[in-house]
Amino acid sequence: MEPKTFSWSKINSYAACPMLYKHRYVERLQPVRKAPALVLGSCVASGLNAFRQTGTKDATFSAFTKTWIKEGKILALKKADDPRRSVERGLEILDAYIKEYPKEPDNIVQPEVSFKIEVASNIVFNGRIDAVIRLNDGSLAIIEDKTTSRLGPTFFTKLKGSSQILWYLWVANKMGLFDVEGKKQMPKCWLNALYIHDKTERFERDITIKSTRTLDLAQKNMLVWIEQIFWAEKTDTFPYNDVDNDTCSKYGGCDYLPLKYASDSLKERIIKNEFIVKEERKT
């Protein structure tokens, strides 16, 4: 029996809306066009990884542009067409980042760390840690990059307690990414926010430190969510999240919203025109 694989985004999809999970991971429907905010985030992530590996603007810009092309040319090329999420604007933000933190690559211990770790019998958790960095005091921290257009006073407060940060810290601790000369250090995450704005270049950072007890409790909570997903798949029980409609409307609206109130015949036409069925990966 092959292990069942979960990522943070997969579990979070179910937590946000079980029907969203069904569309994405059971029916494997993938929107033909991704939301510009998600595409920009992917492009910036590729650019930052290249910057940390090479320290050069050319490699950073090349990685950004290649990811944009791979994502299907969703982003507009010029700011005049999309002031916040064009390729032109994304490269401007990266250029400003490089000028703000030119020495960052010197402190990177490991760029982009992919992981696949068993969290319970026959259950695997996978994902990607953006980087491992050495801090001024000599300790190590993982980096979590975030592109956001909502960099308000509560941004880091919410992020520090998020399941993604807690679960990634748990994984990093299990992998020994915080060990310095064989000695275990407190798990730390360096939160790195890039503000997406049509005119302002703004970057903010914060650190969160968690105890191993907190992380172990978070990992147990992960397994509770996974058990709920197993039950939902077994019983084919996937309700819409209608509690406050927040999932349906935030960040420009859910990709699957057109399917919510459509009749069966209309659903077939929508799926044919707006989605592709993603092939299942072999784990």
Side-chain angles (χ1 to χ4, degrees):
M1 182 179 177
E2 291 215 2
K4 187 80 170 179
T5 301
F6 291 88
S7 63
W8 174 80
S9 59
K10 187 173 184 178
I11 299 170
N12 190 57
S13 293
Y14 179 85
C17 176
M19 186 56 80
L20 166 63
Y21 175 93
K22 182 178 182 180
H23 288 324
R24 184 174 290 164
Y25 296 104
V26 179
E27 299 171 339
R28 305 196 67 78
L29 298 178
Q30 180 175 296
V32 173
R33 294 177 63 86
K34 291 186 179 181
L38 296 179
V39 178
L40 180 64
S42 296
C43 293
V44 169
S46 296
L48 289 175
N49 185 47
F51 172 57
R52 288 163 182 160
Q53 290 193 56
T54 68
T56 69
K57 186 166 76 171
D58 285 347
T60 303
F61 280 22
S62 176
F64 179 101
T65 306
K66 285 180 180 177
T67 303
W68 168 69
I69 293 172
K70 185 177 70 175
E71 292 284 5
K73 300 186 179 180
I74 303 299
L75 297 178
L77 279 169
K78 297 185 179 298
K79 284 197 297 181
D81 299 319
D82 189 339
R84 281 196 301 174
R85 297 190 176 98
S86 64
V87 171
E88 183 183 358
R89 183 59 186 148
L91 294 177
E92 286 178 354
I93 291 172
L94 278 177
D95 186 43
Y97 185 93
I98 292 170
K99 291 174 180 174
E100 183 79 11
Y101 307 115
K103 299 298 184 182
E104 182 178 306
D106 296 341
N107 298 316
I108 296 298
V109 177
Q110 293 187 58
E112 205 172 82
V113 180
S114 295
F115 62 82
K116 184 180 286 187
I117 186 168
E118 190 173 60
V119 292
S121 177
N122 227 36
I123 299 175
V124 169
F125 183 62
N126 68 358
R128 185 195 69 219
I129 292 167
D130 290 326
V132 180
I133 190 168
R134 189 176 303 278
L135 303 177
N136 290 334
D137 63 0
S139 65
L140 303 180
I142 62 171
I143 297 178
E144 179 60 31
D145 298 313
K146 292 295 182 186
T147 54
T148 178
S149 59
R150 302 181 181 185
L151 191 52
T154 63
F155 179 82
F156 287 115
T157 302
K158 292 179 179 179
L159 191 57
K160 287 177 181 180
S162 71
S163 57
Q164 183 183 21
I165 298 302
L166 295 175
W167 296 348
Y168 280 26
L169 279 168
W170 182 85
V171 168
N173 193 49
K174 288 293 180 182
M175 293 175 67
L177 296 184
F178 303 113
D179 296 356
V180 177
E181 296 179 352
K183 296 181 180 178
K184 286 191 172 295
Q185 309 290 315
M186 287 288 287
K188 299 177 183 179
C189 185
W190 191 62
L191 309 170
N192 188 42
L194 293 82
Y195 185 45
I196 303 304
H197 190 271
D198 57 345
K199 297 176 183 177
T200 302
E201 283 88 33
R202 179 178 159 204
F203 311 107
E204 292 191 18
R205 295 170 164 181
D206 205 343
I207 289 278
T208 185
I209 304 173
K210 301 295 182 183
S211 67
T212 54
R213 180 179 181 277
T214 296
L215 300 183
D216 287 341
L217 289 173
Q219 186 260 349
K220 289 179 181 178
N221 195 50
M222 176 207 296
L223 295 178
V224 172
W225 277 113
I226 291 172
E227 285 296 326
Q228 290 188 40
I229 293 172
F230 282 151
W231 176 84
E233 291 184 347
K234 182 178 180 180
T235 60
D236 192 24
T237 305
F238 298 94
Y240 282 110
N241 177 9
D242 286 317
V243 175
D244 55 15
N245 273 327
D246 183 57
T247 302
C248 298
S249 59
K250 70 180 179 181
Y251 304 126
C254 174
D255 289 330
Y256 301 91
L257 186 57
L259 299 174
K260 186 172 184 179
Y261 299 112
S263 63
D264 289 340
S265 59
L266 181 56
K267 278 183 180 179
E268 290 180 11
R269 294 199 294 273
I270 292 172
I271 290 172
K272 183 178 179 180
N273 294 327
E274 299 184 24
F275 297 89
I276 58 175
V277 179
K278 188 177 180 182
E279 292 185 12
E280 188 167 5
R281 285 183 180 179
K282 298 298 182 181
T283 56

